[in-house]
């Protein structure tokens, strides 16, 4: 599963893991991505979205219809 959010566009950040001796190795900071299934009443079907934990809270606030509209405005497929 790719680590990016369909609603917010959150994707991995990159940096360094720094050891006790201060040696640096590359690492990746992944967002908290979840797959969630919602009922979309306007289309009479379920949609499965790949969302970050923050985006799931956003969907709870604005509603699934508005969230799908935002995803489609970003050019995403639902």
């Amino acid at each position: 599963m790719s680590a990016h959010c369909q609603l917010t566009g959150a994707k991995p950040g990159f940096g360094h893991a720094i050891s006790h001796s201060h040696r640096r190795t590359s690492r990746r900071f992944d967002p908290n991505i979840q797959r969630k299934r919602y009922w979309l009443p306007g289309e009479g079907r379920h949609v499965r979205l790949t969302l970050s934990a923050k985006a799931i809270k956003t969907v709870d606030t604005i509603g699934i219809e508005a969230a799908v509209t935002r995803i489609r405005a970003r050019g995403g497929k639902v």
Side-chain angles (χ1 to χ4, degrees), residues 20-76:
H20 179 69
S21 64
H22 215 66
R23 291 182 61 118
R24 296 171 185 209
T25 55
S26 293
R27 66 158 293 180
R28 178 174 148 147
F29 296 89
D30 285 327
N32 185 5
I33 298 294
Q34 310 291 325
R35 284 182 52 85
K36 191 137 170 65
R37 186 173 175 241
Y38 289 99
W39 172 252
L40 196 56
E43 297 181 16
R45 67 185 182 106
H46 285 96
V47 291
R48 189 175 299 277
L49 301 176
T50 304
L51 301 172
S52 63
K54 180 181 177 182
I56 291 172
K57 294 174 190 173
T58 302
V59 170
D60 291 343
T61 303
I62 67 173
I64 186 61
E65 297 283 352
V68 167
T69 304
R70 285 188 191 181
I71 292 170
R72 288 182 174 148
R74 294 183 77 238

Side-chain angles (χ1 to χ4, degrees), residues 3-24:
H4 81 278
C5 176
Q6 289 180 294
L7 181 60
T8 63
K11 55 188 178 186
F14 295 88
H16 292 96
I18 302 179
S19 70
H20 179 69
S21 64
H22 215 66
R23 291 182 61 118
R24 296 171 185 209

